[in-house]
Amino acid sequence: MADKRALPRWTVPVVATLVALATTAVLLALWWWVGDQNLTGKDLATARLDAVKVASGIAVGGGGLFALYLAARRQRTQELELDQRRWEHQHTIEDAAERRVTDLYAQAAEQLGSDKAPVRLAALHTLARLGDGNPSHRRTVLDLLCAYLRMPYDPPTDPTDDGHRERTQEREVRLTAQRIATARLRPTVGPWYSIPAPNPLHWPGEFDLDLSGATLLDFGLTGCVVRTGTFRGARFHGKTHIQDECKQVDLEGAIAELRHKGFARSPGSSYLGGHLWPTGGGRSWELVALDTPRPEVPAGWGILVGSFRVSPGPEQDQG
């Protein structure tokens, strides 16, 4: 902000005194000069009157200049005050928007802990809208979605179980959370056989997925762009697609159903069912059956085993 200090009280008297002194000095000088011109009678009176007019013009001009300076300073002060009020108003609006975002985030986080599935679904969609409208909060929203998916969960199996209904509802909530997250990480949409179109829901930027120990249902990252995908100890239920869009993948200790091993793969991409090759080579992951059963690996499930390779060859890409 520019300097808005008030003029000292002595400014106006000092300027008025200086103008008066300058006017007096000019008048005396002209009066003396006229008297030195050997004028007499009417000519002398006219010359002295002209000297008074010149001195008066100097007085009026000096005072006018100072008045113009005061008016310009007053105008500048008013403009600065207006700018200050605009800044305060904008700051107030931004603070109100930030408080609203914080309140929505806190409300959604609280609703995710509800025992009612519709409330949890509403919270997920609130988080999605929050991230769509506030780019600075997108990483936080994505982290919260991942944290929810990391919560312990057992999918429904026996319809006669007491908690079958609740687990079925929770399955829908988790599928919604997965769809919300992956939809924001996918730059383009459309079937593979057509020209992809821009995804209006995409969040530009590089994001990390921490789904360590998560229970994932028909999880797919096809077409997504992820910097780091951490799935240590995760449980993959159903068909799982993890493509090379993950620049780094950690599947240490993750398990999946063996019946999905070898699920459809295409050149240039690789899935959990078979080998997963990170971009540019490095560590590959293969779903294998265990010779010796383990308590943490159910019957019919396999574990992801990693190995290091320099680069995937063409025959590996073809599966």
Side-chain angles (χ1 to χ4, degrees):
M1 287 292 180
D3 189 5
K4 297 192 297 182
R5 291 177 296 180
L7 286 175
R9 294 181 177 180
W10 49 262
T11 302
V12 173
V14 169
V15 171
T17 302
L18 291 176
V19 172
L21 290 176
T23 301
T24 303
V26 171
L27 178 60
L28 292 177
L30 290 175
W31 196 275
W32 174 82
W33 180 80
V34 168
D36 199 38
Q37 299 302 313
N38 298 320
L39 299 175
T40 59
K42 184 178 180 179
D43 292 336
L44 179 60
T46 301
R48 287 179 174 175
L49 180 60
D50 291 338
V52 173
K53 289 180 180 180
V54 171
S56 300
I58 292 175
V60 173
L65 287 176
F66 184 64
L68 183 61
Y69 166 76
L70 293 178
R73 180 180 175 86
R74 186 181 304 108
Q75 176 67 22
R76 179 57 179 164
T77 301
Q78 292 175 349
E79 291 176 353
L80 291 175
E81 291 176 351
L82 181 59
D83 290 341
Q84 179 69 19
R85 287 196 295 269
R86 288 174 178 171
W87 181 85
E88 291 175 353
H89 179 66
Q90 182 64 29
H91 191 64
T92 301
I93 293 176
E94 293 175 355
D95 284 347
E98 190 65 27
R99 284 195 299 269
R100 181 175 178 274
V101 168
T102 302
D103 292 341
L104 285 175
Y105 179 81
Q107 180 182 0
E110 183 179 358
Q111 289 177 340
L112 282 178
S114 173
D115 58 351
K116 297 180 175 60
V119 176
R120 298 195 296 275
L121 284 170
L124 291 175
H125 288 292
T126 298
L127 287 173
R129 291 196 302 272
L130 182 63
D132 291 339
N134 301 273
S136 61
H137 292 269
R138 289 173 177 173
R139 193 176 303 276
T140 302
V141 170
L142 196 60
D143 289 343
L144 185 57
L145 293 175
C146 291
Y148 183 80
L149 293 173
R150 291 196 302 268
M151 299 294 289
Y153 170 67
D154 292 322
T157 53
D158 188 355
T160 61
D161 288 345
D162 294 338
H164 179 78
R165 177 183 176 85
E166 288 74 14
R167 285 197 292 270
T168 302
Q169 293 178 342
E170 175 61 11
R171 175 186 175 87
E172 295 303 317
V173 176
R174 286 176 170 264
L175 287 173
T176 300
Q178 292 178 187
R179 285 193 293 267
I180 289 174
T182 55
R184 270 68 184 177
L185 299 174
R186 191 171 290 119
T188 59
V189 292
W192 62 270
Y193 51 81
S194 66
I195 299 177
N199 179 12
L201 297 178
H202 178 236
W203 293 350
E206 291 189 335
F207 296 93
D208 301 321
L209 290 179
D210 184 4
L211 292 168
S212 303
T215 299
L216 303 173
L217 313 169
D218 296 322
F219 184 73
L221 287 178
T222 305
C224 295
V225 176
V226 180
R227 181 172 56 186
T228 303
T230 305
F231 304 94
R232 297 177 68 91
R235 299 167 66 92
F236 295 98
H237 291 260
K239 298 175 182 179
T240 303
H241 294 194
I242 301 180
Q243 287 187 296
D244 291 347
E245 277 81 354
C246 284
K247 296 181 180 179
Q248 296 182 12
V249 181
D250 186 357
L251 291 162
E252 190 70 41
I255 61 175
E257 298 175 86
L258 287 170
R259 63 192 179 95
H260 293 300
K261 180 178 181 181
F263 182 71
R265 300 171 60 209
S266 61
S269 62
S270 41
Y271 301 102
L272 182 62
H275 286 81
L276 173 66
W277 296 96
T279 303
R283 194 172 192 182
S284 66
W285 301 86
E286 183 179 7
L287 182 63
V288 299
L290 296 176
D291 296 331
T292 303
R294 297 183 186 176
E296 68 274 13
V297 183
W301 286 58
I303 191 168
L304 273 297
V305 176
S307 60
F308 286 93
R309 301 293 177 86
V310 176
S311 177
E315 68 281 355
Q316 295 164 337
D317 286 339
Q318 297 294 333

